[in-house]
Amino acid sequence: PFNIYLSVGMSLYSESRSREIMAAQAEMRRMTDDVESISQKQLIENSARIFNMFEELPLPYAVYKIVDGPEGCDAVALYINKQFMNMTNLTPEEFVGKRVSNYFALDANNWLSMAEQAGLEGKHITGRYYDDFFDRYLDVTAHPVIGPGFCAFTFQKDEGKRA
């Protein structure tokens, strides 16, 4: 047996028994089904409606959809909050809809491994890595959101530079 969900926003009963959670999962799938084929403006609007509750979070917060990449998994940014914008000096127009592996000069294998574990395996992962973009270590937490294939990251800069 196999399961199929339709792009019109169906949610599998096996994923949740709660109607509210099923509705949120269905809406997320409908709005972000093919993140690389819809317009960036539409992706920003769709994601902002879903994730606006994280806008005032005091930590940088970003949501990603796991996609196939040239060398395994990759991730496309769906949402960034104000703190993420302040930390990176990026706007949603500059970052949302972009593949992470092509954007930051970071330890992509470590970051993508965390995204894969959170988004595809449902694990909560914490890690620390050096990011050349910030010239700092970052303390990172990755966790699953909405359903399979989606993950969120919170970031915190360590003020110490690499020795």
Side-chain angles (χ1 to χ4, degrees):
F2 59 94
N3 292 320
I4 297 175
Y5 82 89
L6 302 175
S7 294
V8 294
M10 299 209 40
S11 178
L12 299 175
Y13 183 72
S14 61
E15 291 176 338
S16 174
R17 306 288 190 267
S18 164
R19 287 182 187 208
E20 290 81 18
I21 293 173
M22 286 173 64
Q25 290 171 338
E27 184 69 3
M28 180 64 165
R29 283 197 177 110
R30 186 184 67 75
M31 294 176 128
T32 60
D33 193 39
D34 192 359
V35 295
E36 295 182 296
S37 70
I38 65 174
S39 75
Q40 184 184 35
K41 181 181 178 192
Q42 189 63 49
L43 182 62
I44 291 169
E45 289 173 6
N46 291 349
S47 296
R49 280 200 306 261
I50 295 169
F51 296 108
N52 66 359
M53 67 186 99
F54 300 108
E55 196 59 33
E56 300 302 324
L57 193 66
L59 292 172
Y61 184 83
V63 178
Y64 304 91
K65 180 174 183 181
I66 307 300
V67 297
D68 290 330
E71 298 179 20
C73 103
D74 202 343
V76 173
L78 297 180
Y79 170 81
I80 56 177
N81 72 353
K82 288 179 186 177
Q83 292 299 327
F84 186 93
M85 288 185 258
N86 291 339
M87 180 180 85
T88 62
N89 292 320
L90 294 171
T91 65
E93 292 76 18
E94 294 170 309
F95 190 63
V96 171
K98 306 283 197 280
R99 286 177 174 252
V100 174
S101 64
N102 296 330
Y103 206 82
F104 286 118
L106 50 74
D107 180 359
N109 290 332
N110 187 25
W111 190 93
L112 290 171
S113 173
M114 290 178 72
E116 189 172 22
Q117 290 177 63
L120 300 178
E121 299 173 21
K123 295 180 180 177
H124 294 262
I125 308 294
T126 58
R128 180 184 172 101
Y129 63 86
Y130 188 80
D131 191 318
D132 292 329
F133 182 82
F134 300 110
D135 191 27
R136 297 275 187 262
Y137 283 96
L138 292 178
D139 293 315
V140 179
T141 301
H143 54 91
V145 291
I146 303 296
F150 297 92
C151 64
F153 277 74
T154 56
F155 304 88
Q156 190 164 3
K157 285 196 297 188
D158 182 328
E159 294 309 315
K161 292 187 176 189
R162 190 186 306 210

